[in-house]
Amino acid sequence: MIKLKPAVLYNCSTKIKPIGIFYLVQYTIFALICIIINICTGKNQNGSNGLELCTIVFVSITGVLSFKEDFKTLLQNGYTRKYIFLSTVCMFVTITGSMAIIDTVIGNVLHHFISGYNTIFGMMYGYDNLLLNWLWLTVVYMLFCSLFYLAVLVINKVGKMTSLLIGVGLVGVILVIVSLFRFVFSSEIVSNIMRFVMNAMGFMNDGTQNLLFPILSFFGIGFVLTVCSYAIIRRTELN
Amino acid sequence: MEAIQIKNISKKYKDVVALDNVSFSFEYGKIYGLLGRNGAGKSTLINIIANRIFADSGNVLIDGISAKENIAIHNKIFCMSEADLYNRDLKVKEHFKWASRFYDSFDSSKALEIAKQYDLDINKRFKELSEGYQSIFKLIIALSLNVPYVIFDEPVLGLDANHRELFYNLLLKEFEAGQQTFIIATHLIEEVTEIIEEVVFIDKGKIIVNESVETLLQKGYSVSGSIKEVDSYCKGREIIGYDELGGLKIAYIIGEKPAMSEKRNLQISTMTLQKLFIKMTNERGK
Amino acid sequence: MYVDPNIEKPIFIQIAEQIEDSIFTGIFPEETQIPSTNEISSLLNINPHTVLKGMNMLVDEDIIYKKRGLGMFVRSGAVKKIRTKRKNRFYEQYVEPLINEAEKLQMSKQSIISLIERGYNNGSHTD
């Protein structure tokens, strides 16, 4: 791993500025809305919940932007695809992990001080465990990061036209599955599937919650997506 | 010593054959000219050596080891490319800083020194540089790296005469200072004739010449005189091209140059590398 | 010092001739150091191997010699050696082409000889 560290540093360095701008804009707007509501209603209320959604959008964009320019620069500097891939994954972990810390801390602070503000995690699982909150957010961010990274790799590999067809195909598959649920599957199968999904999200049949399940599920999906990305980038040429 | 071995490399783009079963070697410690017309396959070959694209078949060995996806090998070779692979938003001095992180052998003080010689403003962002200065920036990186193999792809693109002269000068200084192999891919043949020691002609995806400049120049000559006499002289010889000027005909011939006084009415002269190249890469005998 | 890529002679021979000429005219006196390969290479933007080849020609002729770790030096007696060499080459370098050209112009042997005599008479050439 002789040359991995500078590559990870480089990948992170190109993202630090956008992250700063992102948080600045997000909290400025959030604060403005709060102030306006305060002035208009005279209540200490807020206008929105779950700011993590914004971060999800942001990390998805990061995933998209983590290929082309960085790939070129690192190739020019003698990096092989394997190292480029590893450095990108390391960068994803660093960025999603850090952003998850920020969002966990700020989200819980906001929840404490502003009545009615909820984080996504809090709404689903409560506010008891900060560590699991952070871990859960990290794997969710990682999932979106790797999903969009894979998407941009696929688009680069097969070209815009083919990607569009793949996209249309995916929409078709989703529509078919939805109609399968409505008309073909028996209610028993549907409820089994629903139960499986609920379990995977950590809501157990006996009404308790198991947070390791969703973390492992998201991690698993993210891992599969990442492996697919590796399979593609190994065959990617400079164009 | 065969430093970079190209073995049976082929590459196709859709229907176009970019490289057709190319095999040859670059030896260690020399300056090579990789000469070819636009679209001859120079950049494709360099991109394959640099691991930027993959060959359809064949292999590139550097110091006897396959170069494909081998990071240890790519620490030893640097390919300055014609295409822009640099982050356009970074400042020149930031690029220098990253180069010294990516490569142990990058000499930052040398880079700053050369930048000064070229009057390059290191506080400018890459995208703010003119085309010439973008080339200069890329040259500085390549010249400040002490790796065994450095490949320049169209190094003097957009440079004025003074800056080109300075580049050749710096290149020779680097060459004298260390045990490096330089490969210059260019279409400006005349300019590099005295710089390079070995020459590789590439044409339509094939290597048509690979030898020392001196040997090559001794291989060809031109004969001029009246059409009739030139034609009769040319019988049975290997002709690579003709030029005609009214009644005067010039034939370009492959073979050992004869003594001057063999035919008094014919003028025999050596060919320049450029002329030889042009005649060899045009349709033969036309 | 300069080289001309457009004339017939290979560059390394041009280099050798120029160094030789500088020795002959006393720019580089005997037993002094001549410029290094690298200096000449940088000055003229020529591959150092080419320059070295030119120098080696002079080493072979025993006009210059290598002092280990110091560089190339002019051999004592080099000027005399160069003079002898040039005298020996005078015929093929100047007389042969002269006769060739004269034949193209259909000039007689006698007219050439008288031209040479005129040359000596016009200038302050003695000897």
Side-chain angles (χ1 to χ4, degrees):
Chain A
M1 300 290 140
I2 21 168
K3 276 174 77 181
L4 190 60
K5 199 180 150 199
V8 179
L9 274 177
Y10 178 80
N11 279 332
C12 288
S13 79
T14 57
K15 314 292 177 304
I16 281 177
K17 216 165 131 191
I19 290 175
I21 294 169
F22 164 74
Y23 275 122
L24 193 71
V25 170
Q26 176 183 296
Y27 286 112
T28 311
I29 292 172
F30 182 75
L32 277 177
I33 292 171
C34 282
I35 291 166
I36 291 167
I37 291 172
N38 249 320
I39 292 168
C40 295
T41 65
K43 286 176 195 165
N44 188 16
Q45 269 187 340
N46 70 305
S48 53
N49 272 324
L51 286 175
E52 300 96 312
L53 259 178
C54 300
T55 310
I56 287 178
V57 173
F58 179 81
V59 293
S60 304
I61 296 169
T62 305
V64 171
L65 296 180
S66 293
F67 169 63
K68 206 156 185 114
E69 292 301 317
D70 296 345
F71 182 70
K72 281 202 284 188
T73 303
L74 292 177
L75 264 189
Q76 167 71 74
N77 285 292
Y79 281 90
T80 55
R81 286 154 187 80
K82 184 176 149 192
Y83 275 77
I84 294 172
F85 170 78
L86 283 175
S87 68
T88 307
V89 172
C90 288
M91 179 265 289
F92 283 163
V93 172
T94 313
I95 282 180
T96 55
S98 330
M99 291 185 85
I101 290 180
I102 296 171
D103 290 346
T104 306
V105 171
I106 292 183
N108 282 280
V109 168
L110 286 178
H111 172 73
H112 194 78
F113 287 105
I114 301 176
S115 64
Y117 179 85
N118 284 302
T119 62
I120 296 177
F121 180 84
M123 281 188 276
M124 290 163 76
Y125 306 104
Y127 296 88
D128 306 326
N129 198 327
L130 282 183
L131 182 70
L132 285 178
N133 185 347
W134 167 71
L135 211 56
W136 182 85
L137 258 189
T138 305
V139 290
V140 170
Y141 291 167
M142 255 322 266
L143 175 73
F144 281 92
C145 230
S146 40
L147 176 68
F148 281 87
Y149 183 59
L150 175 63
V152 75
L153 281 175
V154 170
I155 292 170
N156 176 74
K157 182 80 190 163
V158 300
K160 281 187 183 126
M161 206 51 221
T162 322
S163 329
L164 223 66
L165 290 177
I166 293 175
V168 171
L170 278 178
V171 170
V173 169
I174 290 168
L175 289 177
V176 168
I177 289 175
V178 169
S179 58
L180 282 180
F181 270 91
R182 285 188 63 186
F183 301 108
V184 181
F185 292 158
S186 68
S187 60
E188 196 188 352
I189 294 176
V190 171
S191 72
N192 275 343
I193 292 172
M194 286 310 288
R195 203 177 305 137
F196 175 77
V197 172
M198 291 305 276
N199 284 350
M201 290 299 102
F203 301 105
M204 311 313 287
N205 299 341
D206 55 9
T208 56
Q209 288 177 1
N210 186 337
L211 272 166
L212 282 178
F213 275 38
I215 291 171
L216 283 177
S217 315
F218 287 136
F219 181 80
I221 301 168
F223 184 77
V224 171
L225 293 172
T226 311
V227 169
C228 294
S229 302
Y230 184 60
I232 294 176
I233 203 169
R234 278 310 289 249
R235 292 166 182 78
T236 298
E237 298 189 326
L238 185 75
N239 49 18
Chain B
M1 189 175 141
E2 291 181 341
I4 302 178
Q5 283 172 272
I6 316 288
K7 284 189 160 176
N8 308 101
I9 292 281
S10 292
K11 177 79 179 174
K12 246 179 159 179
Y13 291 111
K14 287 187 179 146
D15 305 329
V16 186
V17 179
L19 292 172
D20 184 9
N21 199 20
V22 167
S23 295
F24 71 102
S25 298
F26 293 108
E27 285 168 30
Y28 194 70
K30 288 182 174 175
I31 305 180
Y32 276 86
L34 177 61
L35 312 179
R37 305 177 65 180
N38 289 331
K42 280 177 297 181
S43 290
T44 305
L45 183 63
I46 291 173
N47 280 335
I48 290 172
I49 296 173
N51 192 38
R52 290 175 192 152
I53 60 174
F54 300 124
D56 296 338
S57 60
N59 211 347
V60 174
L61 301 181
I62 295 175
D63 290 344
I65 301 164
S66 173
K68 189 179 166 186
E69 282 291 276
N70 186 331
I71 192 149
I73 288 298
H74 288 281
N75 244 331
K76 292 203 249 177
I77 184 166
F78 182 82
C79 300
M80 175 222 149
S81 64
E82 192 191 338
D84 284 336
L85 302 180
Y86 285 98
N87 187 327
R88 301 180 61 78
D89 295 322
L90 285 188
K91 290 176 181 167
V92 171
K93 62 177 178 189
E94 290 168 326
H95 275 297
F96 287 168
K97 190 186 74 190
W98 283 111
S100 69
R101 286 182 184 161
F102 290 139
Y103 290 96
D104 295 334
S105 68
F106 184 78
D107 186 342
S108 299
S109 56
K110 188 189 278 172
L112 292 173
E113 169 70 32
I114 302 176
K116 205 183 259 173
Q117 281 178 277
Y118 269 114
D119 237 347
L120 170 66
D121 182 358
I122 59 166
N123 289 311
K124 272 194 176 171
R125 291 173 200 286
F126 184 84
K127 64 180 171 196
E128 293 164 353
L129 301 173
S130 65
E131 189 205 8
Y133 269 105
Q134 290 185 354
S135 288
I136 287 171
F137 161 73
K138 290 188 272 186
L139 288 179
I140 294 176
I141 299 259
L143 288 168
S144 308
L145 266 174
N146 196 16
V147 293
Y149 309 103
V150 183
I151 302 180
F152 297 91
D153 193 359
E154 297 293 355
V156 294
L157 212 69
L159 269 65
D160 65 26
N162 299 38
H163 284 162
R164 294 208 294 269
E165 198 70 10
L166 180 57
F167 164 65
Y168 296 128
N169 204 269
L170 291 167
L171 180 87
L172 286 173
K173 278 208 182 105
E174 283 311 305
F175 183 66
E176 286 149 9
Q179 293 293 309
Q180 283 179 292
T181 305
F182 291 120
I183 299 165
I184 308 171
T186 184
H187 62 275
L188 297 172
I189 296 167
E190 218 151 285
E191 282 191 10
V192 295
T193 306
E194 274 86 59
I195 307 283
I196 61 179
E197 188 178 356
E198 300 280 326
V199 62
V200 177
F201 282 175
I202 182 166
D203 190 41
K204 296 184 190 114
K206 287 188 188 239
I207 303 296
I208 53 173
V209 164
N210 175 25
E211 53 198 327
S212 80
V213 176
E214 208 187 303
T215 328
L216 180 65
L217 288 179
Q218 279 167 3
K219 274 196 169 171
Y221 63 99
S222 69
V223 167
S224 59
S226 71
I227 295 177
K228 214 175 118 191
E229 276 182 275
V230 169
D231 281 344
S232 77
Y233 180 85
C234 289
K235 271 190 195 115
R237 295 176 200 268
E238 193 187 342
I239 313 299
I240 53 171
Y242 293 108
D243 277 325
E244 265 182 55
L245 280 169
L248 178 78
K249 187 164 186 171
I250 308 167
Y252 302 96
I253 298 167
I254 294 287
E256 204 173 319
K257 195 177 140 193
M260 289 288 186
S261 49
E262 189 189 309
K263 289 249 179 186
R264 294 256 161 95
N265 294 328
L266 289 174
Q267 198 176 353
I268 288 169
S269 30
T270 47
M271 287 169 77
T272 62
L273 199 58
Q274 169 133 315
K275 201 79 188 165
L276 205 56
F277 174 79
I278 291 170
K279 290 299 164 193
M280 289 179 92
T281 52
N282 278 342
E283 295 290 318
R284 288 211 161 199
K286 204 171 83 179
Chain C
M1 198 178 260
Y2 68 96
V3 291
D4 185 351
N6 296 316
I7 62 172
E8 298 278 302
K9 267 182 202 138
I11 304 289
F12 72 95
I13 294 178
Q14 291 188 42
I15 301 239
E17 283 179 352
Q18 300 224 7
I19 297 172
E20 190 192 274
D21 206 58
S22 301
I23 293 170
F24 190 61
T25 54
I27 295 172
F28 307 139
E30 291 180 3
E31 289 303 333
T32 61
Q33 192 173 4
I34 64 165
S36 71
T37 317
N38 293 352
E39 283 169 323
I40 297 175
S41 155
S42 299
L43 179 72
L44 303 176
N45 274 356
I46 287 174
N47 191 298
H49 292 168
T50 313
V51 180
L52 189 65
K53 207 169 164 192
M55 288 212 181
N56 283 338
M57 271 181 67
L58 298 179
V59 171
D60 289 344
E61 293 175 35
D62 211 23
I63 287 166
I64 57 174
Y65 67 102
K66 191 174 185 171
K67 266 192 192 171
R68 201 169 285 277
L70 288 175
M72 295 291 192
F73 283 73
V74 182
R75 181 74 83 193
S76 63
V79 175
K80 199 177 153 210
K81 203 170 268 165
I82 295 167
R83 181 177 291 122
T84 318
K85 184 176 95 175
R86 289 195 172 185
K87 272 186 179 168
N88 291 343
R89 279 215 311 238
F90 187 79
Y91 177 77
E92 56 182 276
Q93 258 190 336
Y94 298 99
V95 181
E96 266 190 355
L98 179 84
I99 295 172
N100 278 345
E101 179 68 8
E103 282 186 359
K104 264 190 201 165
L105 298 170
Q106 295 175 327
M107 290 166 80
S108 71
K109 180 179 160 191
Q110 204 48 53
S111 63
I112 302 298
I113 291 171
S114 64
L115 274 176
I116 291 174
E117 274 169 358
R118 195 174 98 196
Y120 275 106
N121 293 337
N122 272 358
S124 55
H125 298 287
T126 48
D127 182 68

